[in-house]
């Protein structure tokens, strides 16, 4: 018996030991206490009953990291603790992690950057059951509207993809003086964000730049390496016929530019994309490749998460009643700025040290719909233009 | 044992036990079983794609394909060693992320003012090796399935990459010499391919001329027999994962150089090139069969197929479907003569 007990106890003890170590690690990682609060909550709102939750698609993409920075800044300003949900690119992980947080008993004030459009209803329903308030960014099914769900689904918010595509098309076509051949590198082919950006690009070219020919488009899954590989294949296929490259985001553009540089063609080709990543900004400032980058769009992940969370907080604290808001404040489009080498300098301030906190303080002062450089500019369901 | 140790797996059985029209069938089977079947499939693809777009057969595209092949080629050497012993290594993407990020942060870059030169290589490769060793030790000593251990290592590697990356901006190479090295040409072929070819040669040597290579094949064929014959099975197992980790690290560095920037996701998608390439080449997932040359041809098949479809102008909406369909046809054609002997039949 003794032997048997010892045999059983050995692994069991080790298992307990391992579990204890893991639990301690999780506890130390999860303890993100609220810092200095700068907002007076309205009477009747007890911040101890609430938790701020930011759900991001992954924690490796620069945009997602910026989403987290915005959530940290708003958590600090409101004095409410923050939980980050890392979806690891999986809807299932996202939803199960959110369920776990909801089970903790505190009511969530939540921002969700959805992995897939179809995640939105499940997440909203769970938040509603828990008595929380949620704002969804970027993706949701068109027919699933906050107005029809209730006050707990405070708003759906985004920057329009069509405007992003149009910005890129204008910049590229102008840089080529309206004449030339371009290739397109869309993101994941069935992503709404990519589809709307591509539609905007094509519509702008079709409407205003008849001298621009789109040679080919190769979806590159938001992946810099695939962007680079596809660019290499297209260089072989078209050689120096290519005058311009448009990518649906800066990650793929980074890969594409490297391929053109390796082929010795960077000086002869112009590039436009979306996101104005710090690396892109460096290339604009340094004039890399004979000023190869001619157009970008400006928006920041921290602005999106801060706007989303602050809107949800206003609903949670009773300062707004979502069902009484106009439709464009429930399904909202926020401003997207077109950036060129001529005006990029005015956007440098938004990447300076402490920029997220500075943005949050202006957000609290002006409200979620009137804060530069991303005020509310419209709303509804984004309509794809014909091209 | 001789047949087990052979690069292309046990040969004799299929042809020698047949009679009647056996000689013809044997000839076909022998041909298709070796790399000849794969080479034939590749040649058919090359001819068809060249016909569809003459630029496919250009020197420029050859250099392009060899450049694209280099990272998966390095990875498939490690993957083949592990698969030959009947295990699986899922950690490559995490190891590539960790090693690639460590390397670029210690080489001339836009983020840190550090340039450790060769030490950057040694530290990054050491990181890959350590992660591989960790997988091997847990797998061999604690008897945890390699599928689970390497999945854990994948995330440990990714976690290290994320910690190194922090919340700062993307590090980019500032040294032109390093950024241009992978595309630079020697004897008309890109440097990155020469590096990969060197690794493949290393893999071939290990596989065919060392106790480790022969031991891994024996473990894949029958582990209990390998153990009772006094073979240091655990050492070989750990050795295979350590080599796979080291090569994962090297692939991470090369991919980072090719991109010119560091990314935690530098290995994204590579797992599903390396393992399928090895299996397409005839390395049975059950272990004990296959070889480096065949795995390398599997990599070429995948990369050429993708490259050819782009050059042929196949509509992106159909590209994935056409890719899968051609791949299926190619694999069935290559594997048909030996279908009765395939280990994975369910």
């Amino acid at each position: 018996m003794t032997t048997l007990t010892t045999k059983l106890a050995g692994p069991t003890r080790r298992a307990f030991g391992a579990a204890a170590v893991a639990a301690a690690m999780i506890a130390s990682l999860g303890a993100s206490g609220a810092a200095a609060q700068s907002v007076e909550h309205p009477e009747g709102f007890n911040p101890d009953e609430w938790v701020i939750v930011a759900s991001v698609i992954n924690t490796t993409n620069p945009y997602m990291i910026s989403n987290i920075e915005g959530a940290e800044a708003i958590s600090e300003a409101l004095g409410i603790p923050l939980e980050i949900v890392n979806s690891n690119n999986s809807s299932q992980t996202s939803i199960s992690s959110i369920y776990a947080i909801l089970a903790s008993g505190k009511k969530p004030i939540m921002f969700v950057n959805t992995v897939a459009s179809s995640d939105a209803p499940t997440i909203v329903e769970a938040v509603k059951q828990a008595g929380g308030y949620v704002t969804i960014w970027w993706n949701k099914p068109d027919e699933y509207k906050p107005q029809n769900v209730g006050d707990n689904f405070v708003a759906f918010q985004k920057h329009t993809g069509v405007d992003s595509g149009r910005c890129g098309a204008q910049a590229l076509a102008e840089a080529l003086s309206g004449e030339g051949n371009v290739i397109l590198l869309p993101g994941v082919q069935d992503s709404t964000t990519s589809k709307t950006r591509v539609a905007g690009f094509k519509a702008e070219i079709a409407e205003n730049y008849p001298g621009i020919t789109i040679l080919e488009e190769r979806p590159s899954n938001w992946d810099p390496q695939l962007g680079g590989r596809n660019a290499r294949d297209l260089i072989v296929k078209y050689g120096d016929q290519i005058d311009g490259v448009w990518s649906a985001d800066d990650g793929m553009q980074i890969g594409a530019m490297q391929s053109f540089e390796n082929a010795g063609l960077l000086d002869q080709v112009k590039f436009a994309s979306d996101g104005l990543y710090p690396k892109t900004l460096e290339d604009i400032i340094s004039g890399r490749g004979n000023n190869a980058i001619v157009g970008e769009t400006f928006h920041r992940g921290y602005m999106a998460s801060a706007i989303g969370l602050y809107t949800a907080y206003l609903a949670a604290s009773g300062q707004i009643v979502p069902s009484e808001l106009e439709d464009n404040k429930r399904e909202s489009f926020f401003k997207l700025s077109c950036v060129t080498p001529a005006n990029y300098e005015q956007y440098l301030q938004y990447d300076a040290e402490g920029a997220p906190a500075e943005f949050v303080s202006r957000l609290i002062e002006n409200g979620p719909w009137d804060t530069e450089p991303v005020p509310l500019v419209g709303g509804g369901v984004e309509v794809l233009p014909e091209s | 044992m001789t047949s087990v140790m052979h690069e292309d797996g046990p040969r004799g059985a299929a042809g020698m036990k047949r009679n009647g029209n056996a000689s013809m069938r044997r000839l076909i089977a022998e041909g298709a079983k070796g790399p000849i079947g794969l080479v034939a499939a590749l040649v058919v693809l090359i001819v068809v794609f060249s016909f569809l777009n003459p630029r496919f057969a250009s020197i420029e595209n050859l250099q392009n394909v060899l450049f694209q092949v280099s990272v998966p080629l390095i990875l498939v050497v490690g993957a083949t060693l592990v698969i030959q012993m009947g295990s699986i290594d899922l950690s490559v993407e995490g190891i590539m992320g960790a090693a690639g990020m460590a390397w670029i942060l210690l080489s001339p870059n836009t983020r840190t003012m550090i340039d450790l030169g060769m030490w950057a290589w040694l530290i990054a490769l050491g990181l890959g090796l350590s992660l591989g060793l960790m997988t091997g030790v847990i797998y061999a000593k604690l008897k945890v399935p390699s599928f689970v251990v390497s999945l854990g290592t994948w995330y440990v590697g990714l976690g290290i990459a994320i910690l190194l990356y922090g919340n700062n901006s993307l590090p980019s190479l500032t040294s032109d010499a390093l950024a241009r090295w992978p595309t630079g040409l020697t004897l008309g072929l890109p440097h990155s391919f020469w590096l990969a070819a060197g690794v493949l040669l290393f893999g071939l040597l290990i596989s065919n001329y060392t106790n480790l290579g022969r031991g891994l094949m024996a473990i894949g064929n029958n582990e209990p027999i390998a153990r009772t014959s006094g073979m240091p099975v655990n050492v070989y197992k750990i050795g295979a994962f350590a080599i796979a980790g080291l090569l994962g690290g090297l692939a991470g560095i090369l991919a980072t150089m090719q991109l010119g920037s560091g990314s935690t996701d530098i290995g994204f998608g590579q797992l599903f090139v390396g393992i399928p390439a090895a299996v397409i080449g005839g390395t049975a997932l059950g272990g004990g069969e296959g070889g480096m040359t065949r795995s390398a041809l599997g990599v070429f098949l995948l990369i050429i197929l993708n490259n050819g479809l782009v050059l042929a102008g196949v509509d992106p909406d159909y590209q994935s479907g056409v890719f899968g369909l051609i791949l299926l046809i190619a694999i069935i054609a290559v594997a048909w003569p030996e279908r009765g002997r395939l280990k994975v039949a369910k």
Side-chain angles (χ1 to χ4, degrees), chain A residues 59-60 62 65 189 216-219 223-225 229 232-233 236-237 239 254-255 258 261-262 278-279 282, chain B residues 55 61 64 67-68 162 165 167 170 172 183 255 258-259 264-266 268 307 310-311 313-314 316-317 319:
Chain A
T59 53
T60 54
I65 292 172
Q189 207 171 359
E216 191 159 335
E217 56 181 292
R218 283 287 149 192
D223 175 8
Q225 292 197 92
R229 280 204 296 277
R232 287 184 69 88
D233 287 344
V236 170
K237 188 171 179 182
I254 287 169
Q258 190 63 42
E261 186 162 57
N262 290 341
K279 158 78 178 150
E282 282 167 24
Chain B
R55 287 205 192 213
N61 196 42
N64 174 28
F67 179 85
Q68 292 189 24
I162 292 170
Y165 180 80
N167 283 352
L170 211 66
S172 299
T183 41
Q258 287 184 340
L259 185 62
T264 51
D265 292 331
I266 198 79
F268 182 76
N307 167 266
V310 175
L311 263 71
V314 174
D317 290 343
Q319 190 178 336

Side-chain angles (χ1 to χ4, degrees), chain B residues 190-253:
Chain B
H191 292 152
S192 50
F193 177 71
W194 283 114
L195 178 65
V199 170
L200 181 62
L201 185 66
F202 164 77
L204 279 168
L205 292 175
I206 286 193
S207 211
N208 294 329
Y209 300 104
T210 65
N211 289 338
L212 172 66
R214 288 186 284 264
L216 293 176
M217 205 62 123
I219 293 169
N221 267 313
N222 195 328
E223 188 176 333
I225 291 179
R227 256 182 216 284
T228 49
S229 68
M231 204 173 265
V233 169
N234 283 354
V235 174
Y236 289 167
K237 283 182 171 178
I238 295 169
F241 277 101
I243 292 172
L246 180 73
L247 296 181
L250 183 63
I253 295 173

Side-chain angles (χ1 to χ4, degrees), chain B residues 132-224:
Chain B
L133 271 173
M134 185 180 89
T135 311
V137 169
I138 295 174
Y139 162 62
K141 296 285 187 188
L142 303 183
K143 313 282 183 224
V144 183
S146 57
F147 184 91
V148 181
V149 186
S150 59
L151 193 64
T153 314
W154 176 353
Y155 284 100
V156 170
L158 195 59
I160 292 171
I162 292 170
L163 284 177
L164 292 172
Y165 180 80
N167 283 352
N168 284 300
S169 61
L170 211 66
S172 299
L173 277 177
T174 50
S175 157
D176 267 357
L178 284 175
R180 289 182 184 279
W181 186 84
T183 41
L185 302 176
T186 298
L187 299 177
L189 305 181
H191 292 152
S192 50
F193 177 71
W194 283 114
L195 178 65
V199 170
L200 181 62
L201 185 66
F202 164 77
L204 279 168
L205 292 175
I206 286 193
S207 211
N208 294 329
Y209 300 104
T210 65
N211 289 338
L212 172 66
R214 288 186 284 264
L216 293 176
M217 205 62 123
I219 293 169
N221 267 313
N222 195 328
E223 188 176 333

Side-chain angles (χ1 to χ4, degrees), chain A residues 151 154 310-322 324-325 368-369:
Chain A
D151 285 353
V154 182
Y310 191 57
T311 318
Y313 162 76
L314 290 178
S317 58
Q319 298 178 66
I320 57 169
V321 178
E324 292 173 2
L325 295 172
W369 303 292

Side-chain angles (χ1 to χ4, degrees), chain A residues 199-231:
Chain A
F201 185 93
K202 288 182 174 173
E204 186 67 25
I205 295 293
E207 291 164 18
N208 299 318
Y209 301 100
I212 299 287
T213 305
I214 297 173
L215 290 172
E216 191 159 335
E217 56 181 292
R218 283 287 149 192
S220 301
N221 298 357
W222 312 118
D223 175 8
Q225 292 197 92
L226 187 55
R229 280 204 296 277
N230 280 331

